């Protein structure tokens, strides 16, 4: 089987292609392995919404649910067993990629319970527990970039555990995330962990920014406001990439990283998340084509992955040197009346709430399945 040319070109430009989906059926059918072999997929991300969708469809989990019911498992332990089993199996499928990339890719992410997003201590404890339970070196623990999440990120990295920081919407919060990463790596080094073995990505959300800001631009309704629709998501990511370069590529804030890099510390790579296009008026590959740069990750829903395989174009680096133009877009947004601070507050709150809702739905559905399996 040969790799799709469009996705191979994207990979050659330095973008790691990750799939934003996981299910037991995808693992057991060989589909995940096929995507690795034909679609340049080198990683997988999960979240509560993905797991809720996987468990609610088909019968791949019926046998395990029945066994767990017979054991008298409660719903929280049942979900933890089911999801960690899937993630462990996916880690094994991607083990070859992990080895070949020197530990950079071949990664599978699992999220801490989103109900803990505002409790640093409990987030840290569960992250350590998940790391031990899955017991695979190519695991990433996903921790939300809430205010409470920032110290948890440092604490978990300090334990020598690799972290995927999720739900980042603003550049200001992204700066704080990079600070937490460097702090965590420094603490890990002091504790005797090898910094070279600890990896991290920072998941910066894209399409949701356009969805929220476009709605506000349409409410303003002026010609100047309407002309800015569909520009904020890419501009925000490009501003974030400028900050990344400033910290890791020789900008004014590189001294901390340079010191750690001498001990083998890795960069915390930017990951573009929420890259499925929500507005049908926009190109369905917009958040891939316009976010190409080396040492980055793009995690794609399967629909977007296949769209890029069919007609995606890689025009080289579309990120470096774009900071000034991206800042101009944000200046224009502020000028027409967009309250950007409020936008990012809303997006973070809604992001956590959406995952909490999916988790509650997952709890409810699994409770019913356990009850049904136990009565058979």
């Amino acid at each position: 089987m040969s790799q799709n040319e469009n996705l191979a070109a994207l990979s050659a430009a330095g973008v790691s292609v990750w799939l934003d989906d996981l299910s037991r059926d995808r693992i057991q059918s060989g589909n995940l392995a096929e995507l690795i072999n034909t679609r340049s997929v080198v990683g997988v991300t999960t979240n509560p919404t993905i797991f809720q969708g996987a468990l609610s469809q088909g019968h791949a989990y019926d046998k395990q649910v029945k066994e767990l019911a017979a054991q008298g498992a409660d719903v929280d332990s049942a979900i933890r067993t089911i999801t960690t089993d899937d993630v462990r199996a996916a880690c094994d499928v991607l083990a070859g990629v992990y080895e070949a990339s020197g530990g950079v890719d071949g990664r599978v992410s699992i999220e801490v319970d989103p109900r803990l997003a505002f409790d640093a201590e409990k987030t840290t404890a569960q992250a350590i527990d998940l790391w031990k339970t899955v017991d695979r070196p190519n695991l990433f623990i996903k921790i939300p970039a809430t205010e409470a999440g920032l110290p948890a990120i440092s604490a978990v990295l300090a334990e020598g555990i690799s972290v995927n920081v999720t739900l980042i919407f603003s550049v200001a919060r992204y700066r704080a995330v990079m600070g937490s990463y460097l702090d965590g790596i420094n603490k890990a080094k002091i504790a005797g962990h090898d910094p070279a073995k600890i990896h991290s990505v920072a998941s910066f959300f894209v399409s949701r920014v356009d969805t929220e800001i476009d709605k506000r631009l349409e409410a303003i309704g002026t010609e100047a406001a309407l002309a800015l629709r569909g520009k904020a998501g890419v501009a925000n990511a490009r501003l974030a990439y400028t900050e990344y370069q400033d910290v890791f590529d020789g900008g004014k804030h590189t001294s901390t990283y340079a010191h750690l890099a001498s001990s083998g510390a890795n960069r915390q790579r930017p990951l573009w998340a929420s890259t499925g296009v929500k507005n049908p008026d926009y190109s369905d590959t917009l958040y891939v084509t316009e976010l190409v740069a080396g040492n980055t990750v793009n995690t794609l829903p399967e629909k977007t992955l296949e769209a890029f395989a069919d007609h995606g174009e890689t025009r080289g680096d579309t990120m470096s040197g774009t900071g000034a133009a991206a800042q101009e877009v944000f200046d224009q947004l502020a000028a027409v009346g967009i309250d950007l601070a409020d936008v990012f507050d809303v997006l973070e709150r809604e992001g956590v709430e959406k995952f909490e809702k999916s988790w509650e739905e997952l709890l409810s559905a699994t409770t019913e399945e356990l009850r049904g399996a136990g009565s058979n």
Side-chain angles (χ1 to χ4, degrees), residues 63-80:
K63 182 174 181 288
Q64 186 171 25
V65 170
K66 197 168 186 176
E67 290 169 353
L68 290 166
Q71 295 163 14
D74 62 44
V75 65
D76 284 294
S77 64
I79 288 171
R80 187 59 58 216

Side-chain angles (χ1 to χ4, degrees), residues 225-238:
L226 296 176
L228 291 168
R229 286 178 297 181
K231 295 184 177 181
V234 168
N236 198 35
R238 287 175 170 173

Side-chain angles (χ1 to χ4, degrees), residues 24 49 63 76 81 118 122 125 157 228 268 314 330 334 340:
R24 188 159 299 178
T49 303
K63 182 174 181 288
D76 284 294
T81 298
F118 301 103
K122 289 182 179 177
L157 287 162
L228 291 168
Q268 183 187 49
T314 300
F330 268 62
L340 292 162

Side-chain angles (χ1 to χ4, degrees), residues 80-99:
R80 187 59 58 216
T81 298
I82 290 166
T83 55
T84 54
D85 281 359
D86 275 6
V87 167
R88 188 182 304 108
C91 282
D92 290 344
V93 174
L94 281 151
V97 175
Y98 172 75
E99 294 294 337

Side-chain angles (χ1 to χ4, degrees), residues 135-365:
D135 192 27
R136 293 294 185 272
N138 51 331
L139 179 69
F140 266 141
I141 305 295
K142 286 179 84 172
I143 300 176
T146 57
E147 288 281 1
L150 295 173
I153 292 159
S154 292
V156 173
L157 287 162
E159 296 289 331
I161 295 171
S162 294
V163 173
N164 175 345
V165 184
T166 188
L167 289 178
I168 308 171
F169 295 99
S170 73
V171 172
R173 183 57 54 84
Y174 178 48
R175 284 193 208 104
V177 165
M178 288 188 286
S180 293
Y181 170 71
L182 294 171
D183 180 57
I185 294 296
N186 189 50
K187 287 175 178 174
K189 179 186 171 187
I190 292 168
H193 297 289
D194 181 358
K197 293 182 178 177
I198 309 168
H199 288 260
S200 182
V201 292
S203 297
F204 202 86
F205 281 52
V206 186
S207 69
R208 292 189 195 180
V209 173
D210 272 338
T211 300
E212 180 65 27
I213 290 182
D214 282 3
K215 180 175 67 177
R216 298 184 184 212
L217 290 169
E218 285 163 7
I220 293 167
T222 63
E223 187 176 339
L226 296 176
L228 291 168
R229 286 178 297 181
K231 295 184 177 181
V234 168
N236 198 35
R238 287 175 170 173
L239 287 172
Y241 187 73
T242 301
E243 293 292 327
Y244 160 79
Q245 289 182 304
D246 197 33
V247 171
F248 293 102
D249 274 338
K252 61 180 180 293
H253 297 301
T254 54
S255 57
T256 303
Y257 173 64
H259 170 69
L260 292 169
S262 66
S263 301
N266 299 292
R267 297 157 176 264
Q268 183 187 49
R269 291 187 295 167
L271 180 154
W272 313 123
S274 181
T275 53
V277 174
K278 307 286 196 295
N279 189 329
D281 293 338
Y282 303 156
S283 163
D284 56 2
T285 59
L286 172 67
Y287 304 126
V288 186
T289 302
E290 299 302 327
L291 302 177
V292 175
N295 290 308
T296 61
V297 181
N298 199 312
T299 179
L300 309 176
E302 188 168 23
K303 183 178 177 183
T304 307
L305 182 77
E306 290 305 323
F308 199 88
D310 181 66
H311 53 266
E313 293 181 41
T314 300
R315 304 192 306 266
D317 186 337
T318 53
M319 301 289 282
S320 298
T322 59
Q327 185 57 54
E328 192 174 323
V329 171
F330 268 62
D331 292 343
Q332 291 169 347
L333 288 167
V336 299
I338 297 296
D339 183 342
L340 292 162
D342 183 66
V343 165
F344 296 131
D345 284 346
V346 166
L347 287 170
E348 180 179 294
R349 186 174 66 252
E350 288 184 349
V352 173
E353 286 172 356
K354 283 174 184 174
F355 283 168
E356 282 182 343
K357 183 172 183 287
S358 294
W359 197 261
E360 294 294 345
E361 289 171 356
L362 182 57
L363 287 169
S364 177

